[in-house]
Amino acid sequence: MAFYRSQVLICGGTGCTSSGSMDLKEKFHGEVKKNGIENEIEIIRTGCFGLCELGPVVIVYPEGAFYSRVTVEDVEEIVKEHLVKGRVVKRLLYTESVDEGRIKSLNEVDFYKKQYRIALRNCGVIDPENIDEYIAFDGYKALAKVLTEMTPQEVIEVVKKSGLRGRGGGGFPTGLKWEFTAKSQGDQKYVICNADEGDPGAFMDRSVLEGDPHSVLEAMAIAGYAIGANQGYIYVRAEYPIAVQRLEVAIKQAREYGVLGKNIFGTGFDFDIEVRLGAGAFVCGEETALMNSIEGKRGMPRPKPPFPAQSGLWGKPTVINNVETYANIPPIILNGAEWFASIGTEKSKGTKVFALGGKIRNTGLVEVPMGITLREIIYEIGGGIPNGKKFKAVQTGGPSGGCIPAEHLDTPIDYDTLTALGSMMGSGGMIVMDEDNCMVDVARFYLEFTQDESCGKCTPCRIGTKRLLEILEKITEGKGTEEDLEKLEELSIQIKNTALCGLGQTAPNPVLSTLKYFRHEYEAHVKEKRCPAGVCKSLMKYEIVAEKCKGCSICARNCPANAISGKVKEPFVIDQDKCVKCGVCMEKCPFKAIVKK
């Protein structure tokens, strides 16, 4: 076995990979070899570190030096100075990781110190394509424990006592779901992992699959033992090529090591897993639509009951959980139900992974204990709102969630409190908005998404979301009436109560929550024909302030619509009929003579 004096961990998640992190890896290998230290330095490609805003990220141990936004040109300096001479390259360090010359550990940095990583425990720590590294971090130990020391019912009892609820959106108790399936009669049963992560701005499941795929495989095998299944399927969207590739590598390795396949650990238990690719339909995140897709049918939801626990894939009893739910299973088995139940709140145990995005300084992936407040996530972990802007709202739960205003920033996050506020936990998307966001336009954006993703099977969703979108478009164009506000509310409630599946039932949430908390913005659009945030193009215009205009003609030369005219050294004017409201003129004017009204 080789021993190394330093390890170079390079983020291999989708975000950093798209920024060239794999080019960094090749460059590091070349420079290390050139300096003759290839036997002293180990270079490891890992999963996501979480702080995506600073990618590509490189961390060098044992110092724990956190290098951010590293370029290929920086590699030679890091190798020569840090790895050869032992001098950390301070100019490349993440500024918050340095305190009076001392390099802080990641746990001391604001972004990480309030996090508690369970589902993400190995992401950014191990090579996801090396099963030996997973095993070194207690991998497959939980599977060995359940197969050699526990009965299926004992496994289910541990999961029930832990209080783990489904992390895919609904929050149904995981142990109960497993118990229902175990008790269902069937000559064949199935375990499915829902990795069809379709929410705009969400990348929690993707990061787990990319950074720690074996944790999902191990958990699915444990679920298979608990319910009496011998076959599992991972349904993952084809737009996640890195996740798919690493899953396939992990499955092959697990079969070679005998932790998947026949007679696992010599116990007579058989379990295998196959990957199924989804074509990207958002509705396939709904469990029954997902099963239809696996069966080769169109991805459309089925009426419930019967529930999958009784009649699921090919009519057989089936357990479906999402990636994050499964990632929690091995630690619960190893550490005990009481350990997991001690984290979080009374009704929402454990931690939750959120994809933090939007108008926030520290964009990235965070895992925090249930019960933490929105304020702590946004201002302490997320670093607050950039550019001195004022916080307006945060949307949790993706297109199915609601927008929560500043007055509720100190609300503890759990399943029930978010639902009470008109939002939901969802799979974990968290989009932050500032004063420049128009809440009517935000509702329109999400309705446009869900309406486009509706499968069309039920009338409330197929037609209802279309009517909602038409009313929202009418309002953002300055053509709305007060009656339209009443229609929005009434129609939203009807859709929630009558739609067939979760997509339709939750689609009105962005509308209802913005109506509840930001009704004054709707009224400004309807009564005053004005967009307070200056976002809705039909309700705004660009004007040149004559007193500030120097007559330089820069605006006219850059206008793509030829809407600006005038004489040099005299004030120019904008033809409002020609103006396409692109904002290029205001951006280019060096004298700040153009304003948006």
Side-chain angles (χ1 to χ4, degrees):
M1 180 181 289
F3 292 91
Y4 302 94
R5 63 176 172 85
S6 289
Q7 289 183 318
V8 178
L9 273 58
I10 301 171
C11 178
T14 292
C16 286
T17 298
S18 67
S19 300
S21 65
M22 291 303 96
D23 294 333
L24 295 181
K25 183 172 178 283
E26 294 305 312
K27 183 68 172 176
F28 266 107
H29 277 295
E31 290 297 320
V32 163
K33 188 173 183 179
K34 189 165 75 174
N35 284 272
I37 55 174
E38 64 267 30
N39 295 325
E40 303 172 37
I41 310 296
E42 185 178 25
I43 299 165
I44 304 167
R45 178 263 334 278
T46 71
C48 179
F49 291 110
L51 197 43
C52 307
E53 172 69 18
L54 299 176
V57 172
V58 174
I59 300 181
V60 179
Y61 287 103
E63 297 86 355
F66 189 113
Y67 293 119
S68 61
R69 299 195 178 101
V70 181
T71 66
V72 172
E73 291 72 27
D74 297 323
V75 174
E76 183 178 358
E77 183 180 0
I78 293 173
V79 172
K80 284 185 176 179
E81 290 298 313
H82 190 159
L83 300 180
V84 175
K85 300 177 183 178
R87 299 190 295 221
V88 175
V89 184
K90 292 184 177 179
R91 73 174 184 86
L92 294 174
L93 290 175
Y94 172 39
T95 52
E96 287 191 29
S97 68
V98 183
D99 183 18
E100 297 179 356
R102 180 182 72 88
I103 297 176
K104 295 181 183 178
S105 69
L106 290 187
N107 292 334
E108 295 177 273
V109 175
D110 286 344
F111 182 79
Y112 292 104
K113 67 184 180 184
K114 284 205 168 186
Q115 293 195 46
Y116 191 165
R117 293 193 153 205
I118 298 176
L120 300 178
R121 61 194 177 278
N122 293 328
C123 294
V125 176
I126 66 172
D127 180 349
E129 295 186 23
N130 188 336
I131 190 173
D132 291 326
E133 292 199 13
Y134 180 68
I135 290 172
F137 283 82
D138 292 334
Y140 292 106
K141 192 175 178 181
L143 178 59
K145 180 179 178 179
V146 302
L147 293 183
T148 59
E149 301 176 20
M150 302 172 71
T151 66
Q153 186 56 40
E154 285 173 339
V155 175
I156 291 171
E157 286 302 316
V158 169
V159 178
K160 283 171 65 178
K161 288 178 181 176
S162 73
L164 176 65
R165 294 172 65 173
R167 299 304 197 242
F172 191 82
T174 304
L176 277 180
K177 183 182 283 190
W178 289 17
E179 185 172 60
F180 293 154
T181 316
K183 290 179 178 179
S184 294
Q185 298 299 312
D187 57 342
Q188 175 71 50
K189 295 182 180 181
Y190 296 104
V191 175
I192 295 177
C193 174
N194 183 348
D196 188 65
E197 188 174 51
D199 296 13
F203 50 96
M204 300 76 59
D205 292 350
R206 186 192 75 199
S207 295
V208 174
L209 295 178
E210 290 176 353
D212 193 18
H214 284 284
S215 66
V216 176
L217 305 187
E218 180 178 15
M220 290 178 68
I222 292 170
Y225 175 72
I227 71 165
N230 60 17
Q231 180 63 49
Y233 293 95
I234 301 177
Y235 186 88
V236 57
R237 53 184 41 233
E239 293 94 330
Y240 285 177
I242 296 176
V244 171
Q245 183 256 330
R246 289 180 187 166
L247 270 175
E248 290 173 343
V249 169
I251 290 171
K252 181 181 177 184
Q253 291 175 342
R255 287 172 181 159
E256 289 172 354
Y257 274 56
V259 290
L260 277 184
K262 300 288 186 181
N263 194 27
I264 299 172
F265 292 122
T267 61
F269 173 63
D270 303 338
F271 190 80
D272 208 349
I273 295 173
E274 295 180 26
V275 174
R276 288 289 185 270
L277 299 186
F282 180 63
V283 74
C284 285
E286 196 277 335
E287 57 186 12
T288 60
L290 182 153
M291 291 187 298
N292 271 343
S293 184
I294 291 179
E295 292 174 8
K297 302 170 186 172
R298 186 178 176 192
M300 300 175 77
R302 308 171 184 173
K304 292 185 287 189
F307 294 94
Q310 286 81 44
S311 177
L313 191 63
W314 289 297
K316 306 297 183 181
T318 304
V319 151
I320 303 183
N321 289 116
N322 86 322
V323 172
E324 186 186 340
T325 309
Y326 283 123
N328 281 286
I329 295 296
I332 289 173
I333 296 296
L334 292 178
N335 299 314
E338 294 76 13
W339 162 77
F340 191 81
S342 70
I343 306 163
T345 65
E346 183 183 353
K347 294 183 179 180
S348 299
K349 307 296 186 182
T351 59
K352 182 71 188 79
V353 181
F354 290 101
L356 193 57
K359 307 289 184 66
I360 191 82
R361 282 195 173 89
N362 297 331
T363 301
L365 205 65
V366 303
E367 183 173 2
V368 290
M370 295 281 197
I372 194 172
T373 65
L374 288 166
R375 187 183 300 278
E376 288 175 283
I377 292 180
I378 294 167
Y379 285 95
E380 296 182 34
I381 297 174
I385 317 302
N387 305 317
K389 297 290 184 177
K390 186 179 178 182
F391 170 86
K392 179 179 277 189
V394 59
Q395 199 207 23
T396 65
S400 305
C403 299
I404 302 171
E407 65 199 74
H408 293 297
L409 272 174
D410 294 310
T411 299
I413 297 174
D414 63 26
Y415 289 96
D416 303 313
T417 55
L418 289 179
T419 301
L421 290 175
S423 188
M424 62 186 295
M425 185 77 73
S427 55
M430 188 173 284
I431 308 297
V432 180
M433 289 163 269
D434 68 12
E435 59 193 85
D436 292 336
N437 286 102
C438 168
M439 302 313 293
V440 184
D441 185 64
V442 166
R444 182 205 57 77
F445 167 80
Y446 282 114
L447 245 296
E448 186 175 48
F449 176 84
T450 49
Q451 197 277 321
D452 186 57
E453 293 290 342
S454 170
C455 73
K457 184 171 184 176
C458 74
T459 304
C461 185
R462 181 181 69 250
I463 299 177
T465 56
K466 179 68 173 174
R467 296 292 88 83
L468 278 181
L469 180 60
E470 288 172 351
I471 296 171
L472 287 168
E473 288 174 339
K474 184 180 174 184
I475 292 172
T476 57
E477 291 168 2
K479 301 172 184 175
T481 65
E482 291 185 53
E483 290 75 22
D484 286 326
L485 299 185
E486 295 176 11
K487 285 180 187 177
L488 271 181
E489 204 155 10
E490 182 182 350
L491 185 53
S492 293
I493 293 169
Q494 291 293 337
I495 295 170
K496 279 183 73 73
N497 292 335
T498 58
L500 173 62
C501 80
L503 187 151
Q505 292 162 10
T506 58
N509 281 345
V511 179
L512 289 171
S513 62
T514 51
L515 274 172
K516 179 179 179 181
Y517 297 117
F518 300 95
R519 197 176 190 91
H520 58 281
E521 290 200 24
Y522 281 88
E523 291 173 345
H525 283 71
V526 170
K527 296 178 181 178
E528 304 170 34
K529 308 303 177 188
R530 178 178 65 88
C531 176
V535 171
C536 300
K537 286 187 176 183
S538 298
L539 300 178
M540 70 179 188
K541 62 180 179 179
Y542 290 90
E543 289 185 352
I544 297 175
V545 180
E547 294 78 15
K548 291 185 178 181
C549 181
K550 306 297 182 183
C552 66
S553 80
I554 290 177
C555 58
R557 283 182 275 131
N558 282 279
C559 178
N562 296 318
I564 304 176
S565 60
K567 295 181 180 179
V568 176
K569 296 185 180 181
E570 291 182 17
F572 277 60
V573 293
I574 299 175
D575 185 334
Q576 297 300 331
D577 292 330
K578 290 184 179 180
C579 179
V580 294
K581 302 170 184 175
C582 62
V584 171
C585 56
M586 189 169 78
E587 180 186 323
K588 298 291 183 180
C589 179
F591 307 107
K592 309 297 181 187
I594 300 177
V595 295
K596 180 169 67 173
K597 290 188 175 181

